[in-house]
Structure formats: structure tokens, C-alpha cells
Amino acid sequence: MSTSISSESRLLPPVTPDYYPLYLAGVLGLGIAAQWLAWRLHLPSILLLLAFGFFAQLAGDPDEIIGKELLFPIVSLSVAVILFEGGMSLKLTELREAGGVVLRLVTIGAAVCWGLVGLCAYFVMGFPIEMSALIGAIMVVTGPTVIAPLLNYIRPTRKIGSIAKWEGIVIDPIGAVLAVLVYEAVVVTGVNHVFAVAGLAIVKTLVVGLVLGAASAVTLIFLLRRFWIPDFLHNASILAAILVVFAVSNAVQPESGLLTVTVLGIVLANQKRIPVRHIFEFKENLRVLLISCLFIVLAARISPAEIAKVGWQGLMFLAILIVIVRPVSVFLSTIGSGLSWQQKVFLCFMAPRGIVAAAVSSVFAFEIVEEFVHRGADAATIAQAELLAPLTLLVIVGTVTFYGLTAAPVARLLGLASPNPQGLLIAGADRWVRELGKVIQDAGFQVLVVDTNYRNISAAKMAGLPAHCASILSDYVTEEINIGGIGRLLAITANDEVNALACQEFIHLFGRKEVYQLAAWDSGSGRRASVSEHLRGRVLFSEGVDFYVLARRFAAGAQIKKTSLTAEFTYADFLKRYGDSALVLFVIDEGKKLDVRTAESTSTPKPGQSLISLVDPVKPVAEEADTDEEDESPSETESPSSS
């Protein structure tokens, strides 16, 4: 397949030794720019990566610049790292409620998808039976590189989110192995030996993947637990181990490496003998970098003219894949699973194809053309084989566009997710914290309270607040509690160190922008500071307003009030009534968005907004009394507790 671009159409100079660094730096720059732009526009990043990849064709053909002999191994090793990172995001505890459905989706669902896609390729695209079977196998995979960002953006309810995540990661090695089996059995060996070849290959793949993956994980745990690997080599050692076991596994059994690295990631993530958070964070950052570069390069290999060659048949193939194949495979495989119809419909909108489909199709497109040429096939058959990679890229672009733009609205319509989650996870449940949480909840926002003090939690539940008696730093909070609709952390315990650690714990889930803690109760700085600045979250409310300041004000009779600002009762009137001691805690805008006030907040509340504030008791003013929506009962405080 020729995708080279003439030197006249390039924007950059011809390929010379000095051109390679410029090209590679440009690929990286385009990839990161696409990721940033996607974040700003709230779009799936893969869409812009593919668009930027088409633009990168003007700089040259990657096959010519990098070379196929080097490009394909780089892609394979990068996919190994991506699947390892995906495996590390899988928690076995999630299988208690999602395991049965996941098993059905990756077995029955995969088989149904393979068969239907194969039939579609045969009847719609007119491909030979061998190629149709291979395309069906390739299309079984979904895309953890696309599903994971989508789930982070959608934040669906816990069960359905776990199902979608597990399916998206586990199906990739299954689909890749299936593609290899089909290629070897149907294309190379011949139909007469399908069952013998496939049976042996499946057994070898499972044995090699499970044994080598688990053995590698145990070895790494042993070395790290005995501190035989220094801290500065942890990430580098894990990365080297991933690539080595992936290559060794593939050498023993083709494409078993994907299963091996996935098992390696799952075992490391679910053991309790060594901490692996720093490893996961490193691999997560590396995944973003690899995806950014891979999609640019793979998209640059195929020109729009080649995608156009698939014609209207390709568009029909894509439509059938979305409208018929995915819904049929989901509903057939989940019969008797206990899933609601809303959950099944949501799963129908979570099947984008990603980097694994692109990588596998790129490799097999090259190999199947070589195989047909070796057989002496006619030009028409070879031309059909050359359509494999463009068809796959069309499916990737089409499915990512469709699911990326529809999954979030569908999840919200079905009641399985909240748009722009405004809910608050509150660490701490003292009396004034419960009063604050109740006012926020009554204003229409989700609140979840966590504290280690059983009396505080019992009182919170009696007040109607969802609450859990647990440490905010425990795995229980992130692994067992449903935090769908929750998008922020307020760490407001009496313990500054616990607050800081809680913020560090939830940065990976909510982002640095949405983790908050009270100001430190001590005035120390430098060597006397209780917690270093870089470990803290965003300072809530105002500098100098710590836990004990708030507790004393509540003990003196201060109250939490929700006040609506109007053209007749402005923020200036609010301050005139309650004085400069009034502390604005939250602002609710006309779009029902909750703005958490911090020490950096400088905006002045405007008419149309509502304030949740802490005010000292004053004598009500008759003409302004109707403005406030408040609880007139005084707030008290209890002895502080730590979460």
C-alpha cells in the first residue's frame, strides 16, 4: 500500500539527516496541542489527534521517514505500555458486581460482533471470506485509549462505569489474539486446518499470557518489597520489564504479549504488598504521550484519498457497525444479566475503536498484502487487501465521532451520569460541617460525607445526608463508595495533615482544580509549617479561616444562610445587613453551577446569583426578611474529629 506524499506537497524540507529531529518534534508538538485543544473544547482527544494526523501528512509519509521496519515495532511496544496502564486501572473488587456481565460481553458479545462484522464485510464490502473473517476479528476490539477518557468525562454510575472500563481493556488482547488466530488459520494455513491451529494457538496464548504475566508481576513485587531496586529506578525498571516480557511473550506465541502485559498490570494493581501509585501515575502520563504520537503517525500513513476508496460501502459498513452490530451483541450477551434497559442502552454507546484496532490493522494490512502477492493473487484481490487499513481508520474516526459526541448526552438522558458533576465529597462531619452540607444539599447539589467518628456519621444520616463511617484516606472510599455525580473534594477536618493527604489522594480523580482544604490552623511557615505548600489543596473560603475559627463562630451563634441576590437586594445590601464579618462560602449562578469560594476568588457576586454564607446573628430586617431562604435554628459545634 502506497501512502507516500510527493515532496512538492510537503510544507517542510525534504528528508535529510537534519529533518528527522524536526519531524519527530513536530509529531510530539502536534499530539500535545491536539490533547490540549480537545480539553479546552470538551471533545474526545482522538478526534483532533486524527485530524492533526491528516495534517501531518504534508510533512511526509511516516513509512518513508521512520521506515516500516522500525515503525511497526514502535507501535507494538507502545500498545503494550498502554494496555499495561489499562490493566493497572482494573480493580478485582469491581468484579463482584460487574464480573458476570463483563464475561458475557467479552465472550458471547465478542463472538456475535465477530460474526456480524464478518458477514457485513463479505456482503457489503465484497471482501473475500478470508479477509471478512479477519476484519471481523479486528473490529471486536473497542478502545481503552478512547473509553477511559470518555468515562472520566461522563462519570457514569459505579456499576456501569466498571463494566464499560473492564470490557474496553479486556477485549483488546482478546480481539488481537483472535485476529492473529484468524490470520494464521484462514489466510496462511487454510480453512481445512482452522480448528487444529486455532485450538493449539488459544491454549498457548492463555498459558504464555497468564503464566508469564503473573510470574513477572510476582518477580517485580519480590524485588521491590526487598528494596533491591532503588526508588529512582522504579519507573524505569517497570517500563523495561513491560517491554521485555511483551517481546518475549510474542516470540513464544504471536500477539500473546498483549494478554501478558494486561495480566501483569492487573496483578500489580490488586496486590497489597507494595505501593504502586507512583508507577501508575508515571504510566498514565506516558500513555498520554504515546497516544498523542501514535495517532498522529498512524493517521499520517493513510491519506483521505485512500479512505475515499472505500466509497459508500465503507459508510454503510460503519453505519451497520454502530446501528446493528453493537446493539445486537450487547442485548444478546446481557440476556438474564440483571442489567436495566438503561444500562444496556448506555453500553450500546460505548464501543469506539482506538489505538489497538489501528495498530493491529496496520500490521495485518501490510502482512496480508505480502501474503497475497506471494500467492500470486490478481490485482483486484490485492487492491481489496489494501483497503483494510483505510477501512479501519474510517471505522475509528466514525465510531469515535459518534460515540464521543453521543455517549455523554445519552448517559445523562438515561439518568446514569450527571453533566459537569457538581457534587461534593466532604471529609469531616462535625456539627457545623453537617449544617453546611445540609444547606448545600437543600440547594440541589449532591453531598457525600465521610468521617471516622461514628456519632458524627449517625447524626449526619439522621439529618438526611449520605454519609459513610470511614477514613477519607482509605481505599474503601474510592473503590467501594459510589461517587457518581461527585466532582470535588472539601477536606474540612480539624487535622491539617489529614486534609492535605486527602487532597493528594483525590488529585488523580478530580484534578488539582477541584480539591480544596481549609487554611492551616497554625501560623507557622518554613520549618514551622505543619504541611508544605506543594502538598496542600486549594485554600477554602479565605486565608486565616481555619477549622477552629469556624467552630468558634458557630459556637457563638453564627449561621449558614442561603441568600438570593436581586436587583433590589444586591451584594452591597447583603454586606450592609450582615456586616464585613459575613463570609461567602459558595456562589450559585443562574445556571445552577456551584462555585466554591477560595482564597484566590476575587469576583463580586451579582444579581441573579445565590450566596451560601456564614453570618453572625443579627436582628432580622422586615423588608429584607423575605429575601433569605434560611434555617433559623442556631448551629453548634462538637469536639473536632479527624477523618
Side-chain angles (χ1 to χ4, degrees):
M1 175 173 58
S2 174
T3 61
S4 60
I5 298 175
S6 64
S7 58
E8 290 81 2
S9 64
R10 286 194 185 127
L11 293 179
L12 298 177
V15 176
T16 64
D18 293 336
Y19 182 68
Y20 295 108
L22 183 62
Y23 180 82
L24 296 176
V27 167
L28 178 59
L30 282 176
I32 300 304
Q35 292 275 7
W36 178 83
L37 190 59
W39 169 74
R40 290 292 298 175
L41 299 177
H42 300 287
L43 293 173
S45 59
I46 190 175
L47 286 178
L48 293 178
L49 287 170
L50 292 172
F52 281 32
F54 292 137
F55 174 77
Q57 292 177 8
L58 298 175
D61 179 11
D63 288 351
E64 175 188 342
I65 298 172
I66 302 175
K68 290 182 179 180
E69 295 78 7
L70 183 60
L71 178 60
F72 288 153
I74 290 175
V75 171
S76 296
L77 293 175
S78 300
V79 170
V81 176
I82 292 169
L83 277 184
F84 169 79
E85 188 271 338
M88 287 201 72
S89 69
L90 299 178
K91 297 294 184 180
L92 295 178
T93 54
E94 297 172 338
L95 292 180
R96 287 200 295 267
E97 58 180 359
V101 180
V102 172
L103 181 62
R104 290 164 176 256
L105 287 171
V106 300
T107 52
I108 300 173
V112 172
C113 179
W114 177 28
L116 292 179
V117 174
L119 290 174
C120 183
Y122 182 76
F123 288 106
V124 175
M125 297 298 301
F127 287 152
I129 187 66
E130 300 97 329
M131 273 196 64
S132 298
L134 180 60
I135 291 173
I138 293 174
M139 295 303 166
V140 163
V141 303
T142 53
T145 57
V146 188
I147 287 179
L150 269 180
L151 291 176
N152 289 336
Y153 172 68
I154 298 171
R155 295 189 186 278
T157 54
R158 181 177 182 84
K159 180 177 180 179
I160 197 64
S162 298
I163 292 172
K165 180 177 66 173
W166 270 87
E167 182 202 7
I169 294 172
V170 173
I171 197 66
D172 273 359
I174 292 176
V177 170
L178 179 61
V180 172
L181 297 181
V182 171
Y183 178 77
E184 291 291 332
V186 177
V187 179
V188 179
T189 308
V191 178
N192 295 333
H193 302 87
V194 166
F195 295 105
V197 172
L200 179 61
I202 290 174
V203 172
K204 288 180 64 177
T205 299
L206 289 175
V207 171
V208 172
L210 295 175
V211 173
L212 185 56
S216 301
V218 170
T219 302
L220 287 171
I221 294 169
F222 177 84
L223 296 175
L224 293 172
R225 183 169 175 77
R226 282 158 178 76
F227 305 101
W228 289 359
I229 301 177
D231 289 356
F232 75 93
L233 283 180
H234 278 192
N235 291 328
S237 299
I238 297 295
L239 178 60
I242 295 168
L243 301 181
V244 168
V245 299
F246 174 77
V248 170
S249 182
N250 278 348
V252 176
Q253 173 61 27
E255 297 304 323
S256 64
L258 295 178
L259 177 60
T260 301
V261 296
T262 303
V263 171
L264 172 59
I266 292 174
V267 174
L268 283 179
N270 289 277
Q271 53 79 38
K272 302 297 183 183
R273 302 178 69 84
I274 61 170
V276 293
R277 170 64 62 81
H278 62 298
I279 297 172
F280 176 75
E281 291 175 350
F282 170 72
K283 295 299 180 292
E284 192 174 33
N285 294 331
L286 188 59
R287 171 180 63 86
V288 173
L289 185 66
L290 291 174
I291 291 173
S292 301
C293 295
L294 286 180
F295 272 111
I296 294 288
V297 171
L298 292 176
R301 293 187 66 245
I302 304 172
S303 67
E306 286 186 300
I307 296 181
K309 289 180 182 179
V310 301
W312 64 267
Q313 295 95 333
L315 295 177
M316 182 177 291
F317 179 86
L318 172 63
I320 293 174
L321 206 63
I322 294 173
V323 177
I324 297 177
V325 174
R326 178 61 178 179
V328 170
S329 62
V330 167
F331 277 90
L332 283 182
S333 60
T334 55
I335 293 175
S337 64
L339 290 183
S340 65
W341 70 266
Q342 293 95 333
Q343 292 171 323
K344 294 179 181 180
V345 170
F346 175 73
L347 288 176
C348 294
F349 284 83
M350 287 299 291
R353 272 61 178 183
I355 191 66
V356 176
V360 171
S361 67
S362 296
V363 173
F364 282 118
F366 175 75
E367 292 184 354
I368 199 169
V369 169
E370 293 292 319
E371 177 66 25
F372 284 168
V373 170
H374 177 71
R375 291 184 187 179
D378 56 71
T381 302
I382 295 176
Q384 282 183 317
E386 290 178 338
L387 293 179
L388 176 57
L391 178 63
T392 303
L393 192 60
L394 174 65
V395 170
I396 291 172
V397 174
T399 56
V400 168
T401 302
F402 178 79
Y403 296 124
L405 297 178
T406 60
V410 167
R412 294 193 289 267
L413 184 64
L414 296 173
L416 298 177
S418 302
N420 186 20
Q422 298 285 299
L424 303 177
L425 173 62
I426 300 179
D430 290 87
R431 182 60 173 267
W432 69 268
V433 177
R434 300 196 298 269
E435 293 283 348
L436 176 62
K438 184 63 177 172
V439 172
I440 296 173
Q441 181 174 266
D442 291 343
F445 298 96
Q446 187 173 344
V447 173
L448 177 63
V449 178
V450 176
D451 195 293
T452 54
N453 187 306
Y454 182 76
R455 287 198 308 159
N456 285 346
I457 292 299
S458 297
K461 291 181 178 179
M462 290 292 293
L465 290 171
H468 291 267
C469 187
S471 170
I472 191 65
L473 303 177
S474 67
D475 291 337
Y476 173 82
V477 177
T478 54
E479 295 180 7
E480 301 292 335
I481 298 178
N482 181 12
I483 57 176
I486 300 291
R488 307 164 189 190
L489 168 74
L490 305 186
I492 49 181
T493 75
N495 190 315
D496 291 336
E497 289 81 1
V498 169
N499 292 341
L501 287 173
C503 289
Q504 291 298 309
E505 181 71 17
F506 283 88
I507 280 176
H508 76 284
L509 186 61
F510 300 140
R512 293 183 183 276
K513 181 181 178 182
E514 302 295 355
V515 290
Y516 308 84
Q517 71 176 97
L518 289 172
W521 61 267
D522 68 344
S523 59
S525 61
R527 71 176 66 183
R528 295 177 57 244
S530 58
V531 179
S532 298
E533 286 297 326
H534 72 280
L535 297 176
R536 299 180 185 273
R538 300 179 68 187
V539 178
L540 269 173
F541 311 143
S542 178
E543 292 286 358
V545 180
D546 59 50
F547 180 92
Y548 297 105
V549 168
L550 293 170
R552 285 194 296 269
R553 290 188 63 176
F554 268 80
Q559 302 173 14
I560 297 288
K561 290 180 176 288
K562 179 176 178 289
T563 307
S564 298
L565 300 182
T566 65
E568 294 75 25
F569 187 80
T570 64
Y571 182 60
D573 297 322
F574 171 83
L575 292 179
K576 182 179 178 181
R577 177 175 182 182
Y578 295 111
D580 293 335
S581 64
L583 179 63
V584 178
L585 309 177
F586 302 90
V587 176
I588 306 172
D589 64 19
E590 294 175 295
K592 294 299 181 182
K593 180 180 179 182
L594 184 68
D595 176 35
V596 182
R597 303 294 281 186
T598 68
E600 299 88 15
S601 298
T602 57
S603 60
T604 301
K606 299 179 176 64
Q609 297 179 329
S610 297
L611 309 180
I612 296 178
S613 53
L614 174 68
V615 298
D616 294 325
V618 295
K619 183 179 179 180
V621 179
E623 62 269 21
E624 296 173 358
D626 293 337
T627 304
D628 295 339
E629 306 166 17
E630 60 188 34
D631 180 1
E632 293 296 334
S633 60
S635 301
E636 300 176 1
T637 185
E638 293 182 350
S639 58
S641 65
S642 298
S643 290

